[in-house]
Amino acid sequence: AVVSTQSTGREEKERQLAAKYADGRPVIPSDRRLMQKLARDKERYSELQRLVESEHHSCWRKILICCRPFSIVLGIFLTLVSLAFMASATVTLVDKYVYSNYTLGYVLTTVHYKYSPINYILTYAQLVFPLDYILVLLLVFYIASCTVNGIRRIGIWFLWVKMFEVIPGRTMPQGLLLLSALFSYAMVALNQLMMVAMPTYSTYGSQHYMVKEN
C-alpha cells in the first residue's frame, strides 16, 4: 500500500512537469534535477514492487507467518535482554559515582552493588566452561546486529543531511565505506561498554586466590 501511494504521488509530479513544459519551453535546472530524481525513484519503486510481489507468493513468507508467535516471544526476550544490559550499565555507573570520584578516575576497587543482572549471570556462568563464552558471544552478536540494522533503517546522516541509504545490493561504495567506519566505532564503544555493564566478569570474574597467613 505504501509503495502504491508513493508511486501515485510520483506519477502526479511527472504529469505536472510534463504539462508545464508541453509547449516546448527550455527546462530549468531545478526541474531537470527533479525529473532525474523522479526517474530514479520510478526505477527503485518498480524493483521494490517486484520484490514485494515475489515475496508475497514465496514459501519463505508462509513459513515466517507460521513462526510469527515464536518471533513475538523472541522479540520480548531480546527486549528484556536489552533492558537488563541497560540496567547493568546504570548500576555500575551509580556505583562509580557514589563510591569513587574524579581524582581516582572513577575506578572501583570493589563492586558494592551486587544486583547487576548481566554481571551476575556471566560471573556465575564462568563456573561452567564454556557457558560464559557462549553467552558473551551471543550478546556481542546481538548488539552488533542491532547496530547494523539500525544504520540500515535510518541510513547514514551528517547532522540533518541524509547522505546515503543502506539498501542491500544497491548501496553506494562511499556509503559502504562510512558504514564500515561507523560499525568499527560502535565496536570500539562496545568494548568500553562491556567494562561498564559487567565489571566483575570483565576483570577476574569468579577467579580468586587465597593469601596464606603465617
Side-chain angles (χ1 to χ4, degrees), residues 91-105:
V91 168
T92 304
L93 292 176
V94 171
D95 196 357
K96 288 184 176 184
Y97 180 78
V98 173
Y99 293 98
S100 186
N101 54 63
Y102 69 93
T103 59
L104 300 176

Side-chain angles (χ1 to χ4, degrees), residues 60-76:
W60 177 247
R61 180 177 176 83
K62 296 178 181 179
I63 294 175
L64 290 178
I65 293 175
C66 295
C67 297
R68 186 65 178 175
F70 299 100
S71 64
I72 294 175
V73 174
L74 180 62
I76 295 174

